[in-house]
Amino acid sequence: MFKPLLLAALMAVALPATAQDHSRTERVQFARGASSATLHGNIHGYDTVDYVLGARGGQTLNVRLQPTNASAYFNVTKQGADEALFVGSTSGDRFSGRLPSSGDYVVRVYLMRNAARRDEHANYSLTIGVR
């Protein structure tokens, strides 16, 4: 009886790690003289893509996601923060907001759990700008 419980506990702990195996992080660099960039990518299942960019407090961050799957969204978080500045699944496909402090910000693109569980995919265009 002890072994099945131990196995179940180990599987529960290991599951979140395997769900993130196909996640990646990309640093956003604007072309010289540009204040925005349009990135193209795709996600599949539980994949996530974190786009990291540096910005100064007081600047305005603008983000727009155009996915091929209606269950694809993005969140905006200051790197290391516990709470998101923007949650796409409840707020939509566009964000424009004044940044509270200087540092790195993360734009995470993901599929909602219902679509990820069905192993769906999404191609997307993501425009990120800072002014």
Side-chain angles (χ1 to χ4, degrees):
M1 183 169 181
F2 177 73
K3 288 182 183 180
L5 288 176
L6 180 61
L7 180 60
L10 288 173
M11 287 176 60
V13 171
L15 187 59
T18 59
Q20 297 299 320
D21 282 351
H22 299 288
S23 298
R24 66 185 189 279
T25 301
E26 296 183 18
R27 170 73 60 180
V28 176
Q29 300 284 345
F30 299 142
R32 173 170 246 131
S35 61
S36 68
T38 298
L39 311 158
H40 301 278
N42 61 68
I43 48 177
H44 183 254
Y46 287 97
D47 293 354
T48 61
V49 181
D50 287 349
Y51 294 97
V52 180
L53 70 146
R56 292 186 308 276
Q59 288 185 308
T60 299
L61 175 64
N62 296 295
V63 182
R64 180 176 181 209
L65 178 68
Q66 295 175 285
T68 59
N69 185 320
S71 292
Y73 294 98
F74 72 92
N75 294 347
V76 176
T77 308
K78 180 144 193 315
Q79 196 165 50
D82 292 333
E83 207 169 292
L85 297 171
F86 176 84
V87 177
S89 63
T90 58
S91 300
D93 62 0
R94 294 174 190 245
F95 168 76
S96 182
R98 187 170 294 278
L99 300 176
S101 60
S102 297
D104 281 342
Y105 286 81
V106 178
V107 177
R108 172 171 284 178
V109 179
Y110 63 95
L111 283 169
M112 291 295 291
R113 185 167 50 168
N114 63 330
R117 190 176 28 235
R118 290 190 301 265
D119 209 28
E120 293 181 16
H121 75 278
N123 296 321
Y124 61 86
S125 173
L126 179 72
T127 302
I128 299 175
V130 177
R131 56 181 168 87

